[in-house]
Amino acid sequence: MHLHDVWFVLIAVLWTGYFFLEGFDFGVGVLTKLLARDRLEKRVLINTIGPVWDGNEVWLLTAGGATFAAFPEWYATLFSGFYLPLLVILVCLIVRGVAFEYRAKRPEDTWQRNWETAIFWTSLLPAFLWGVAFGNIVRGVKIDRNFEYVGNVWDLLNPYALLGGLVTLTLFTFHGTVFTALKTVGDIRERARKLALKVGLVTALLAVVFLVWTQIHGGDGASLVALVVAVAALVAALAANQIGREGWSFALSGVTIVAAVAMLFLTLFPDVMPSSLNAEWSLTVTNASSSPYTLKIMTWCAGIATPIVLLYQSWTYWVFRKRIGTQHIAAEAAH
Amino acid sequence: MEMALAPETLARWQFGITTVYHFLFVPLTISLAALTAGLQTAWVRTENEKYLRATKFWGKLFLINIAMGVVTGIVQEFQFGMNWSDYSRFVGDIFGAPLAFEALIAFFFESTFIGLWIFGWDKLPKKIHLACIWMVSIGTILSAYFILAANSWMQHPVGYRINEAKGRAELTDFWQVLTQNTALAQAFHTLTASFLTGGAFMVGIAAFHLFRKKDIRVMKTSLRLGLVTVVVAGLLTAVSGDTLGKVMFKQQPMKMAAAEALWDGQDAAPFSIFAYGDVSKGHNSVELSIPGILSFLANDDFSSYVPGINDTNKAEQAKYGPGDYRPIIPVTFWAFRWMIGFGMASFAIGLLGLWLTRKKFLLPQHLRVGEDEVPRLVLFRNKALSPKLSKLYWLVAIWTLGFPLIANSWGWIFTEMGRQPWVVYGVLETRHAVSPGVSQGEILTSMIVFTALYAVLAVIEVKLLVKYIKAGPPELTEADLNPPTKIGGDSRDADKPMAFSY
């Protein structure tokens, strides 16, 4: 196995980690409008992800940095090609981060309401747009012989990619709903479980269509296995939710994300960004990658750092393992 | 109009705006993390409540800043791909590695432990909670180091070769990229300047409270801590600046000649205090300078030869082919002066403050009305002057709080503009680095969006800072004084409100 193949896998792992982790905090962001009945419940929802969302987001920055280092051509084509959608995502991530940190810094009702509205939209839009981006990567876009993207922004808004966007949006929302059921107590927990069923069914419907479409378009045996695992895990997550096994339900919705992302990357390999104009102009793991020396250094770094990161991030989840409810919001904060 | 809106010009403006804006928050974050950690350590060791109140106060201001630092940092990583795709293709093999290292080693660390610190007051035992803020501090410093190593490679490329077949630069020695003298000098200079920034911030805000005679005990401690930080960091900033300058005279003679508006090379070159140059004619019409000083700064020798702008331009033309290799001289010249001027002024005010607040110059304890009275500075026998003098010093400290921030911004403008027309010195010109596939409209859109967003966020941030600065250090609660003994919080507190929640 070549190092550039290893790095293809590692980048898939980083994106998987990102979607698994930030997936549920995007979902919780969407739930602030979908599930929370009042201000107090919104606060409970935001607090379930308070200690961890920032660490989750670093998975994206690492995926970006690793792509830059391991596949510079891919990084250059992708980020300059998907310019405007990326701009929207960046604006959302900026506003979202500030919203979490600044919302409670002033007591005024309008101040807090505005930031809460911001949290909803800036969670919803990236959750949708990442799916659109990956839909386009897998489907192939207009790349010329110099590896430059020559399409325009409307080319990116094709039915397959838009469906991909709806899949990530609903899947992340489902993932966030079962996370909420796992992390809260009281009335909100019960309602989260009821909502999980509805969101889960919509997700299943959209995901099956999208994944089967992907399989027909460019799948092989391995991607078929991933597809089956993704769908089976989604069904099992719904079942676990119905019988009240919240931990299992969350783990299984995570497996759905892992398998679905794995399927996309399996379909992609050995391309990293296929050209829809000419197969010879596609970016592949070989023509887009860095030199073996750089990849070797990066492999050492990732090999040592990743287990440590996983260790202390897991510890964070353990420290904040207690469920929270409306009774945990201080009276003076409950305006 | 054509040129003004050329994609290259817009991309450069965008890079300048986003980077300078991002760098308003970075130095404050780096220094306030460490200073807050220091104060919290003092609390854990002495159990003196003033340290805990100080920790909470400065910690809050630190959090408001780091939130902005983090979100504006995201843009930095992505804009290389968005606006500078040919740069990314050409140098990704080298430049990407430190960025990836930063994310994997520093950024994960920083962001995970900051979550633990913010929400961990009632979930972690005292010492583990203290360790978290130290982890954050280490993370911020490591983060700065990797980024500066990447930037130093653009100033002085080492450890690479050009792969003609692939049309790109490839890494041959990563250790050299991380440890070359440019990277070490730049990291040293940036980190010391960061502490100067945080120190002056602390001094200014503490002076504001002392001026208003509020929270005196906490603020006296903060004032002294800030002053010591300013003086120590200020001295080290000057030393590191001199070191970095000497490195640059050797590696980027054009940048330093431009910094001095030294048109023609000469022996015993003067340090110019003021110059008005005419770029087209290649000489200064008006000039005020001290002979020999520039030679000393460059080579530790008052009579040594320093090459000028015209000689260097000719040398570079001979080496790299026809072209104009001069940066915009007035920008470089003045940026260099503003950087040094504002930095030095801040150091001088800190030094004066440290001298003035020595025990000898304070109104003695037995002459004061109460323990919470602001100590007055008594420089002369004439005691009537002392309140006026104290007030004057507090006012100066408040109004000069942002001087290092100005110095930092000009420092970066100097570093980056002085390297032009190169993006990687001697290797890749800026005009060959922009994204060929990105339209003028797209870059213009993103520039307007980011600038407008940053302007709105600046207003929000300043208002929040002012609110929390005015509010002063919080009163302590039962929960603050009785931290949990178990990780995850004590079970007896299961239904208690959280000590910190969004």
Side-chain angles (χ1 to χ4, degrees), chain A residues 53-54 93-95 97-99 101-102 115, chain B residues 18 21-26 28-29 61-76 107 453-462 464-465:
Chain A
W53 71 268
D54 197 4
L93 294 182
I94 291 173
V95 175
V98 174
E101 297 296 344
Y102 287 1
W115 286 122
Chain B
T18 52
Y21 192 70
H22 175 59
F23 204 74
L24 291 175
F25 307 104
V26 174
L28 278 172
T29 305
L61 301 183
F62 157 68
L63 290 177
I64 292 171
N65 274 303
I66 197 174
M68 290 288 280
V70 168
V71 296
T72 53
I74 305 172
V75 179
Q76 300 303 89
F107 210 15
L453 180 63
Y454 283 1
V456 173
L457 291 180
V459 175
I460 294 172
E461 146 107 6
V462 169
L464 265 188
L465 279 177

Side-chain angles (χ1 to χ4, degrees), chain B residues 107-123:
Chain B
F107 210 15
F108 263 128
F109 215 62
E110 194 181 320
S111 54
T112 309
F113 283 98
I114 204 159
L116 281 159
W117 189 71
I118 302 175
F119 289 86
W121 287 98
D122 59 350
K123 299 275 182 231

Side-chain angles (χ1 to χ4, degrees), chain A residues 73 75 79 83 103 291, chain B residues 77-78 83 89 93 468 502:
Chain A
E73 297 281 353
Y75 171 82
F79 286 57
Y83 198 91
R103 196 194 62 90
S291 64
Chain B
E77 181 183 297
F78 287 73
N83 288 344
R89 288 180 209 280
D93 199 81
Y468 278 93
Y502 276 145

Side-chain angles (χ1 to χ4, degrees), chain A residues 18-272:
Chain A
Y18 176 61
F19 288 146
F20 185 114
L21 294 169
E22 186 122 291
F24 74 74
D25 70 52
F26 279 148
V28 170
V30 173
L31 291 183
T32 54
K33 278 244 190 300
L34 222 58
L35 179 70
R37 280 212 177 122
D38 52 24
R39 305 289 317 287
L40 209 57
E41 288 193 349
K42 276 186 192 173
R43 234 183 297 257
V44 171
L45 284 176
I46 294 169
N47 278 318
T48 61
I49 54 170
V52 294
W53 71 268
D54 197 4
N56 295 348
E57 197 167 279
V58 179
W59 284 82
L60 169 68
L61 299 177
T62 311
T67 310
F68 197 170
F71 297 101
E73 297 281 353
W74 186 12
Y75 171 82
T77 307
L78 176 65
F79 286 57
S80 64
F82 292 9
Y83 198 91
L84 292 176
L86 259 169
L87 175 66
V88 177
I89 289 176
L90 287 182
V91 169
C92 285
L93 294 182
I94 291 173
V95 175
R96 188 171 185 261
V98 174
F100 282 132
E101 297 296 344
Y102 287 1
R103 196 194 62 90
K105 295 272 187 296
R106 289 185 82 97
E108 294 88 343
D109 214 42
T110 35
W111 170 272
Q112 299 204 354
R113 256 176 229 284
N114 287 341
W115 286 122
E116 280 157 13
T117 308
I119 287 172
F120 170 75
W121 286 106
T122 57
S123 299
L124 182 137
L125 281 171
F128 174 72
L129 285 172
W130 282 127
V132 176
F134 269 83
N136 278 304
I137 294 174
V138 171
R139 175 176 172 266
V141 286
K142 292 177 182 166
I143 294 173
D144 71 4
R145 62 176 74 242
N146 299 318
F147 297 152
E148 292 293 347
Y149 175 74
V150 290
N152 59 38
V153 68
W154 305 113
D155 292 332
L156 300 175
L157 304 176
N158 55 75
Y160 174 76
L162 290 173
L163 178 61
L166 287 178
V167 171
T168 47
L169 176 60
T170 51
L171 183 56
F172 293 166
T173 308
F174 175 65
H175 194 41
T177 316
V178 292
F179 177 79
T180 305
L182 177 65
K183 288 296 292 179
T184 53
V185 283
D187 187 40
I188 193 165
R189 175 181 175 189
E190 298 307 318
R191 277 188 288 118
R193 280 177 42 198
K194 288 208 183 92
L195 184 64
L197 178 66
K198 288 183 203 155
V199 179
L201 289 173
V202 178
T203 309
L205 183 71
L206 293 167
V208 167
V209 176
F210 178 74
L211 294 179
V212 169
W213 192 346
T214 309
Q215 179 66 24
I216 294 167
H217 177 72
D220 55 12
S223 69
L224 186 64
V225 173
L227 187 157
V228 173
V229 172
V231 175
L234 187 56
V235 173
L238 273 168
N241 178 67
Q242 284 314 99
I243 57 168
R245 300 299 297 266
E246 288 152 352
W248 279 104
S249 182
F250 177 66
L252 285 161
S253 69
V255 172
T256 311
I257 292 178
V258 173
V261 181
M263 184 190 170
L264 295 183
F265 276 89
L266 283 167
T267 318
L268 208 51
F269 188 82
D271 286 344
V272 291

Side-chain angles (χ1 to χ4, degrees), chain B residues 172-243:
Chain B
T172 56
D173 188 347
F174 189 53
W175 185 244
Q176 205 187 343
V177 171
L178 289 183
T179 58
Q180 66 152 321
N181 54 6
T182 324
L184 298 178
Q186 217 184 62
F188 183 30
H189 189 53
T190 311
L191 286 173
T192 50
S194 297
F195 278 87
L196 178 63
T197 312
F201 185 75
M202 210 173 221
V203 169
I205 291 166
F208 169 71
H209 285 272
L210 293 174
F211 182 71
R212 298 194 316 165
K213 298 196 171 78
K214 289 233 168 100
D215 296 303
I216 290 151
R217 250 173 290 183
V218 174
M219 288 306 159
K220 262 196 311 196
T221 309
S222 303
L223 181 78
R224 289 293 288 188
L225 176 62
L227 286 171
V228 171
T229 308
V230 165
V231 171
V232 174
L235 267 178
L236 291 175
T237 308
V239 173
S240 58
D242 181 56
T243 313

